[in-house]
């Protein structure tokens, strides 16, 4: 099983930027697709973005396209989420998650990190 540790997050004004990182560890960490999800108060958790094993293919929710960029360092097994042009509606707890290659379900989750965007 892979272990995930998130870092980054915090408070930023509308239009600002933040960078989240997720470090994956474990014997087969490089065999996991890494994704980010978020959950705002009173709302269900939603998909934000994901990146494949090679780091070359990414997918984004429509709400963050053009503003968020996900990248992967294959050697260090870390994933970075650069969030630009942040909006108050981006405020949420952000979770890093992992699913084994070929699997549908994310089975490993980080502890979550708070992102707050003030207007």
């Amino acid at each position: 099983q892979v272990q995930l540790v998130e870092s980054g997050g915090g408070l930023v004004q509308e239009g600002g930027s933040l960078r989240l990182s997720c470090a994956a560890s474990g014997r087969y960490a490089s065999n996991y697709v890494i994704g980010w999800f978020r959950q705002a108060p009173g709302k269900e958790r939603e998909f934000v973005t994901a990146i494949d094993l090679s780091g070359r293919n990414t997918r984004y929710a429509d709400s963050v396209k053009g503003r968020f960029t996900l990248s992967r360092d294959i050697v260090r097994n870390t994933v970075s989420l650069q969030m630009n042009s942040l909006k108050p509606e981006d405020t949420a707890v952000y979770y890093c998650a992992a699913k084994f290659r070929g699997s549908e379900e994310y089975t490993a989750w980080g502890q979550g990190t708070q992102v707050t965007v003030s207007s």
Side-chain angles (χ1 to χ4, degrees), residues 3 8 10-12 25 34 41 43-44 49-50 58 67 85-86 95 102:
Q3 292 80 45
L11 173 64
V12 66
S25 61
I34 304 295
K43 295 187 177 181
E44 293 187 354
T49 179
T58 53
R67 300 188 298 121
S85 302
L86 283 162
Y95 297 92

Side-chain angles (χ1 to χ4, degrees), residues 45-59:
R45 185 167 57 194
E46 65 175 357
F47 170 82
V48 178
T49 179
I51 192 164
D52 71 355
L53 275 63
S54 71
R56 291 191 293 266
N57 299 299
T58 53
R59 185 163 63 94

